[in-house]
Amino acid sequence: MKLSPLPLVSLEPPDVMTCTSTTPAEVIDGDTIRVRLGSTMETVRLIGVNTPETKAPNKPVECFGPEASARTHELLPDGTVVRLERDQTTRDRYGRLLAYVHRVSDGLFVNLSLVAEGYGRAMPFDDTPMFHAQFADAELAARSARLGLWGACPQ
């Protein structure tokens, strides 16, 4: 399915966050979901986490990729209402909306949970600095406990 160009989200000063309640429509893979924002479907890349690939066009499915995708499905089943939180950069080079994703029902910080449970690696970027330390600490704890990919995949 070919998508039309995504509208740009208005940029605010980096210290101002925009939070929007949305409903996941589809989990693409462990670190990418699609949500409806108003009348627009948006592809959202979860900031701070990099899960093993399952759908990269020129790469094989990576170790623990299917498990990471399944975990994201478990955390965000169809109909889950989420809150999106931006950082300094609004979109990545592929046009995906960059966001920290929180489940509204219980406040679960989905991005951080995936790292803490060993379903993905911390992925810090200079232009998305809000939770660098928390992601690094979560990855270290998951590695030490050999959770998820840290116990299942060759490093």
Side-chain angles (χ1 to χ4, degrees), residues 11-17 86-89 130:
L11 296 177
E12 298 176 5
D15 59 335
V16 176
M17 298 302 122
R86 292 186 324 166
D87 207 324
Q88 293 179 8
T89 300
M130 283 178 47

Side-chain angles (χ1 to χ4, degrees), residues 48-52 111-124 131-151 155:
V49 58
N50 188 27
T51 62
N111 313 42
L112 187 60
S113 182
L114 290 167
V115 174
E117 295 175 4
Y119 289 97
R121 294 171 170 79
M123 192 169 94
F131 298 103
H132 278 193
Q134 291 93 325
F135 283 108
D137 290 347
E139 180 180 310
L140 181 60
R143 276 180 184 251
S144 296
R146 300 190 51 75
L147 297 177
L149 66 91
W150 305 112
Q155 302 302 316

Side-chain angles (χ1 to χ4, degrees), residues 79-144:
T80 302
V81 178
V82 298
R83 181 173 56 88
L84 303 180
E85 184 175 9
R86 292 186 324 166
D87 207 324
Q88 293 179 8
T89 300
T90 304
R91 293 195 183 271
D92 67 8
R93 65 183 176 177
Y94 305 109
R96 298 176 297 188
L97 186 65
L98 299 173
Y100 301 106
V101 178
H102 305 266
R103 273 193 322 221
V104 169
S105 63
D106 60 2
L108 178 74
F109 186 1
V110 175
N111 313 42
L112 187 60
S113 182
L114 290 167
V115 174
E117 295 175 4
Y119 289 97
R121 294 171 170 79
M123 192 169 94
F125 286 113
D126 290 340
D127 56 354
T128 56
M130 283 178 47
F131 298 103
H132 278 193
Q134 291 93 325
F135 283 108
D137 290 347
E139 180 180 310
L140 181 60
R143 276 180 184 251
S144 296

